[in-house]
Every structure is written in C-alpha cells, then in structure tokens.
Amino acid sequence: MTEFAFTCTGVRADAYAAGPTLVFRLRITAAGSARVHAIALRCQIRIEPARRGYGPAEAEGLADLFGERSRWGNTLQPVQFAQVSVMVPSFTGETETDLVVPCTYDMDIAATRYFQALAEGEVPLLMLFSGTAFTGDAGFHVEPVPWDREASYRMPVAVWREMVEQHFPGCGWLRLPRDTMDELLAFRSRHALASWEATVRALLDAAAPAEPAAPPGPVRLGAILPRLTERTAP
C-alpha cells in the first residue's frame, strides 16, 4: 500500500463564496514518489478545545458548551466541526489542493458557538482522513487511504471572524421556528416597524422592567405657603 502523509499549510476565508466558507490548503505526499492517478478523499474536522487556554470572558462564553471551568477536566471533549470530500487530481510524489469547508453562523451549532466565544488566538483543529486512492505506474491499483492518517492545524480566530464579517457585517444570525417567525412578522406589521432590528428592540423594551419612581425630595416650606408679599384671594 502507498504511504500517504497529509499536512495543512494554511486557511483563508473565501471572499467570493455564496455563503460563509473556509478554504484549507492541504499538502499530500505519497512515499517513494509513487504515481497517484486520483484520490477520492474524505476529511473529518474536529475542534480539540483542551489544546488551548481561555480567558475569563471566553470561559463565560463557553459555559453553555462545557459548563463551569471546574468541570472542564471531564467536559472539554472534541467538538465536530465539518465533514467534507474532495477529488484530488493526478500527481507524482507530492501535491497541494484546496479543501473547501462550508460553514454556518447558526448559534445552535456547537462549533459556531465555540468560535463565537473566542476573542483571539487560535483554534486547535484535528483533520482525520480516509478515502480511496488510485495508484500505479502501469495501469492502476485501487487502495484505501488508511484510517489513521491525520493532521493537526491551529486556525487563527481572526480568519473565522473575517469570514463572518464578509457575509454578516456587524450582525448576528438567528434561526427561529416557522410559527415563531410568523408571529414576529405579524407583530412587525401591526406596529408598522421598519426593520427586524426595530421589531426585536420593541419587544426588548416592552419586556424591560420599569424603572422605579424617584423618591420625593424634601418639602420646602416656601413651596407650599404663600410669601408674605404675595396677594391672596379673599
């Protein structure tokens, strides 16, 4: 069997994609300069949260995923990020290819909530490879890509934020059930609100607790009794 090695050399946000998309650059090496006709490659990407540190604000943002920091020894488990496929064209010895990973800003997805909680630094990723390789100098052989092939990569948090800003500049994204969305739309129409931001703001203002009334100030005698120089009604 051909010995394959995989290395991730970089990542970028795809500025021309229809939705949020990351493009990882992979280097693939076939030992002994073997001739490879093609590889039908599958890649599973996991976040390894235990391989980095977190500040107080980041820990607070991750509480919904991993609980209190005191429990992280048991709860800081890998998080599934993506599973994608790519067809690698013919090469001999070594080649590089792009691994395109569509992403989402849905805050119900664990990976998205993890990325959003990070203020800076890097995201520790583990790429697990499998698939089918077509190799050989005369004709071709069909062989599996061994399941133990993997590569580690530390993706800058700034790349994720750049990708999100390209598609949701200065905004967030919220997924709602259809019936809830219908009720929001009806509320917006009834109150003639110009935007969804104004709709949500109106609901938040209505739900905010009323400010307590200011206590009365000290009573001044002159504010009640007429002055001696003033004329009073008979």
Side-chain angles (χ1 to χ4, degrees):
M1 291 180 61
T2 306
E3 287 290 329
F4 290 102
F6 298 88
T7 305
C8 182
T9 61
V11 63
R12 60 181 172 84
D14 190 345
Y16 303 103
T21 303
L22 292 174
V23 181
F24 292 86
R25 190 67 176 170
L26 289 182
R27 179 182 297 132
I28 305 172
T29 304
S33 298
R35 173 67 186 274
V36 179
H37 299 284
I39 304 177
L41 186 66
R42 295 186 297 272
C43 179
Q44 181 181 2
I45 307 177
R46 296 178 182 173
I47 302 169
E48 300 279 294
R51 291 170 47 203
R52 63 157 285 168
Y54 303 92
E58 293 174 329
E60 183 178 352
L62 294 171
D64 288 345
L65 289 179
F66 306 120
E68 299 297 327
R69 192 188 284 269
S70 59
R71 300 176 51 210
W72 283 9
N74 297 321
T75 62
L76 217 61
Q77 300 298 321
V79 176
Q80 178 76 7
F81 175 30
Q83 189 161 341
V84 294
S85 300
V86 61
M87 199 68 187
V88 181
S90 175
F91 68 95
T92 300
E94 183 177 284
T95 189
E96 290 194 359
T97 190
D98 286 337
L99 184 67
V100 179
V101 179
C103 301
T104 177
Y105 199 36
D106 187 346
M107 296 303 291
D108 287 339
I109 305 299
T112 304
R113 293 171 69 183
Y114 177 85
F115 291 133
Q116 184 64 23
L118 302 184
E120 57 185 4
E122 298 172 329
V123 180
L125 300 177
L126 180 64
M127 298 180 170
L128 306 172
F129 298 98
S130 61
T132 303
F134 303 89
T135 63
D137 293 326
F140 66 87
H141 307 283
V142 179
E143 55 183 279
V145 175
W147 281 85
D148 61 349
R149 302 296 93 172
E150 60 183 44
S152 297
Y153 183 69
R154 302 187 72 87
M155 181 182 75
V157 174
V159 175
W160 170 267
R161 297 198 174 277
E162 176 189 352
M163 178 196 70
V164 171
E165 283 297 312
Q166 287 174 355
H167 296 275
F168 305 100
C171 301
W173 189 90
L174 186 63
R175 183 166 63 102
L176 296 173
R178 184 168 298 171
D179 55 348
T180 304
M181 195 67 191
D182 290 342
E183 291 183 35
L184 275 176
L185 183 58
F187 178 87
R188 175 178 174 178
S189 298
R190 284 196 307 271
H191 294 82
L193 297 168
S195 65
W196 287 115
E197 180 183 359
T199 303
V200 175
R201 175 53 57 191
L203 290 170
L204 291 175
D205 291 344
E211 296 183 1
V219 178
R220 294 185 295 109
L221 185 59
I224 300 177
L225 299 178
R227 296 180 183 178
L228 297 178
T229 57
E230 293 178 349
R231 298 182 59 183
T232 59

